[in-house]
Amino acid sequence: MTATVVRPAGADPSAPSIRADATQTLTGTRTMIRLVVRRHRVRLAVWWVVLVGMFAYVGAYYRDVLGTQAALDDFAALSDTPSIKALTGLAAAPATLGGAVWTKIWMTTALALAFGVVFLVTRNGRADEELGRTELLRSRPLGLHAASLASWLVTGALCVAVGVGVTVASATGGLDPAGTGITGSLVLGASVTGVGLVGLGVGALAGQVASTSRGANALGSAVLGVLYVLRMIGDLGDGTLTWVSPIGWGQQMQPWGADRWWPLGLLLALTGLLLAAAVRLEARRDLGSGLLPDRPGPADAPARYGRPLGLALRLQRGPIIGWAITVLLAALLFGSVVDSMTDLLDDTAAPIAALAGGTGVDALLSLLVVMIALITTVFALQSAVSLRADEASGTVEPQLAGALSRTRWALERLLIPAAGTAVLLAVGGATMGAGYGSSTGDTGQTLRLAGAALAYWPAVMVLVGVAVALFGWVPRLAVPLTWGVLAGLWFVVMIGDALHLPAWLLDLLPFSATPAQPLEPLRWAPLVVMTLVAAGLIGAGVARFRARDVQPA
């Protein structure tokens, strides 16, 4: 593609050229905004509904669960432990309802928004360049920065909308102490928006630095991960490193405590600097290139890369390692707080017993095992939907051009979620058992909880089967529908009783059909049935993929 450049009259021809003035570089921004909204309206709506709905539900649920000051005091004591402080930070007023909700959901909401914005910005920027969509759009009158600015404005509006939604949910949910107005709720929503906007800046700059969408996503995620770790180390130490991390800035706005507004200024200033750097890089680089060029591959590839399984393991090694670390950290955290959470269980017996399915330590352990299974399910589905991602990007067509059959390609790829899920469940359960056993002196908890977690393997594979069936029958909708099924299942598992759904319907769901381990005796019949259902769904999806045309994006 040839770019038209503009030089000032009388300028030295050897001097660096100027692409265009500011007005020309933004030509077509309004049109691009409409295009971004049109393409991603469902994603934007889902992100807003999930994040705000999750916060609103936690606020309502905690209002019922922590209805007494004794329960709030117990929750505050549980929150003031190294493991919880490392995971979520410590609320400014932990013994209040607002502080309890902040501890439970603020970090999750803010980080989920930041990561989501990184992925959205990359999808609208670097991914479109890879696919050639940006070059096609620039064949018409379109300014150099118009597409990027449109993407940033839309995702920035999402950040603001989520912050407003959180503020409204907090204020209407009664999280503000009596007589204090809604200042705490306003600070809370602003802190979520601020962290999300930093994610916008990180994603925008990562898209200019990396030369592939995969690299941009990895770079943006890594930066947010480092910022989270810095915040974690700061909270466990003297607090100095907390102020090094923008996530820590949002945390230090302290709703219902100091109610600071000035850290929001730091978040906005950093976002502005990151976006300014992204604009400058976009003006100087060639279309399709990045500041970091692609690394040249080795002259000779290992023979295993010639097989679908070997190539998939190479491409997915980052997510595999990342989810393994996530499961280990979650399991260590869960195992370290069982005793403290048992005290909270005693003070809030009725509400939490309904969630855990009973009372006592085994009920609590069964709930934590389900959480490990749900985390592992995200890994399994991410690996399963990569079949559709490879089809959409055109990666699968060269592999199928030879003697490789579609059935073999799909089944080898599915070995990763099948075997990886079993390993992560076993390791997660064993790690949690080791952590809990070390505090009680019971070494037998390691094998016991490893087996309890493995009991959920058929349930996870049913969801993998759903993903494969969707890939086979409705490939263009497979990815959003798969994640929608997981989101719906997550909410039903966590709040099924509150929704007053029929018992027979809950019993049909994979995680509900699995005997709660280690609370209930193990029954093999539902596990065998779910394994057969998973095999049937996978078989139906693979058979349909074998019969239909390859459908690239």
Side-chain angles (χ1 to χ4, degrees):
M1 176 179 173
T2 303
T4 301
V5 298
V6 178
R7 298 179 186 275
D12 183 358
S14 64
S17 59
I18 301 172
R19 298 274 182 122
D21 61 29
T23 302
Q24 291 173 316
T25 61
L26 299 180
T27 300
T29 300
R30 290 185 179 180
T31 302
M32 287 303 303
I33 290 175
R34 291 195 295 270
L35 177 61
V36 172
V37 173
R38 176 67 179 81
R39 287 180 61 200
H40 302 291
R41 63 190 186 281
V42 175
R43 290 186 180 88
L44 295 169
V46 168
W47 273 106
W48 188 89
V49 170
V50 169
L51 292 177
V52 176
M54 183 169 58
F55 183 90
Y57 168 73
V58 170
Y61 185 74
Y62 269 38
R63 188 170 60 249
D64 294 334
V65 171
L66 304 177
T68 66
Q69 189 58 48
L72 289 170
D73 291 339
D74 284 341
F75 189 92
L78 173 64
S79 302
D80 196 16
T81 57
S83 53
I84 298 297
K85 288 170 65 177
L87 187 67
T88 67
L90 184 62
T96 64
L97 179 59
V101 173
W102 185 98
T103 301
K104 176 65 177 179
I105 200 64
W106 181 86
M107 191 66 71
T108 300
T109 304
L111 281 181
L113 178 61
F115 276 102
V117 166
V118 167
F119 299 148
L120 285 171
V121 169
T122 299
R123 186 179 184 89
N124 287 319
R126 176 54 63 181
D128 280 357
E129 286 194 37
E130 273 191 286
L131 295 173
R133 187 177 287 120
T134 302
E135 185 171 9
L136 179 63
L137 290 170
R138 289 188 185 178
S139 66
R140 307 296 295 173
L142 184 68
L144 177 65
H145 303 304
S148 296
L149 179 60
S151 172
W152 300 346
L153 288 174
V154 172
T155 50
L158 173 64
C159 294
V160 173
V162 171
V164 171
V166 167
T167 296
V168 172
S170 174
T172 58
L175 300 189
D176 295 293
T180 62
I182 62 169
T183 301
S185 294
L186 291 171
V187 173
L188 174 71
S191 65
V192 172
T193 294
V195 174
L197 289 175
V198 170
L200 167 60
V202 169
L205 189 57
Q208 304 301 321
V209 172
S211 54
T212 64
S213 59
R214 189 190 301 270
N217 282 331
L219 178 60
S221 299
V223 170
L224 292 180
V226 170
L227 296 178
Y228 178 76
V229 170
L230 288 174
R231 193 278 318 161
M232 179 188 297
I233 297 172
D235 284 355
L236 291 176
D238 60 3
T240 301
L241 286 180
T242 301
W243 287 101
V244 175
S245 168
I247 299 173
W249 302 347
Q251 176 183 318
Q252 290 300 320
M253 291 179 70
Q254 294 188 357
W256 304 298
D259 285 333
R260 299 188 181 108
W261 285 100
W262 61 266
L264 179 62
L266 295 178
L267 294 168
L268 295 177
L270 178 60
T271 301
L273 289 174
L274 293 172
L275 293 179
V279 167
R280 189 167 182 82
L281 286 176
E282 187 174 42
R284 291 176 174 269
R285 67 175 177 84
D286 291 330
L287 181 67
S289 67
L291 184 63
L292 299 178
D294 284 333
R295 293 182 302 170
D300 298 314
R304 64 179 181 274
Y305 289 175
R307 297 174 56 89
L309 177 60
L311 179 60
L313 285 172
R314 173 62 179 82
L315 294 176
Q316 296 182 40
R317 64 179 181 180
I320 291 172
I321 294 172
W323 283 112
I325 294 173
T326 300
V327 169
L328 282 173
L329 291 176
L332 285 171
L333 171 67
F334 293 161
S336 67
V337 300
V338 170
D339 285 339
S340 300
M341 290 186 71
T342 302
D343 295 335
L344 180 64
L345 185 70
D346 293 336
D347 284 334
T348 59
I352 295 185
L355 180 62
T359 58
V361 175
D362 281 350
L364 181 58
L365 289 173
S366 69
L367 177 62
L368 297 177
V369 167
V370 170
M371 298 302 296
I372 289 178
L374 286 171
I375 295 172
T376 305
T377 302
V378 181
F379 154 76
L381 293 186
Q382 186 180 47
S383 181
V385 299
S386 67
L387 274 68
R388 172 55 192 166
D390 282 359
E391 181 187 22
S393 64
T395 304
V396 67
E397 291 183 88
Q399 298 180 64
L400 298 177
L404 179 66
S405 70
R406 295 191 185 194
T407 301
R408 179 186 164 194
W409 176 81
L411 292 180
E412 283 199 30
R413 291 289 300 269
L414 291 172
L415 286 174
I416 297 176
T421 295
V423 171
L424 288 182
L425 286 172
V427 171
T431 303
M432 188 174 75
Y436 173 56
S438 65
S439 64
T440 61
D442 184 2
T443 57
Q445 294 292 337
T446 300
L447 289 177
R448 180 176 181 239
L449 294 186
L454 273 173
Y456 286 91
W457 183 84
V460 178
M461 291 308 298
V462 167
L463 294 178
V464 171
V466 171
V468 176
L470 291 172
F471 161 69
W473 290 90
V474 284
R476 297 189 187 279
L477 298 176
V479 175
L481 286 179
T482 297
W483 292 119
V485 168
L486 178 62
L489 179 66
W490 183 288
F491 277 105
V492 170
V493 168
M494 298 305 296
I495 63 172
D497 291 331
L499 295 175
H500 303 294
L501 297 175
W504 62 267
L505 177 59
L506 293 175
D507 290 340
L508 290 176
L509 299 176
F511 283 85
S512 301
T514 304
Q517 297 292 299
L519 179 64
E520 301 176 1
L522 182 62
R523 303 188 307 276
W524 288 99
L527 304 187
V528 172
V529 170
M530 283 190 288
T531 301
L532 294 175
V533 170
L537 289 169
I538 290 173
V542 172
R544 178 58 182 164
F545 173 61
R546 186 175 64 243
R548 67 171 172 81
D549 293 334
V550 174
Q551 299 181 22

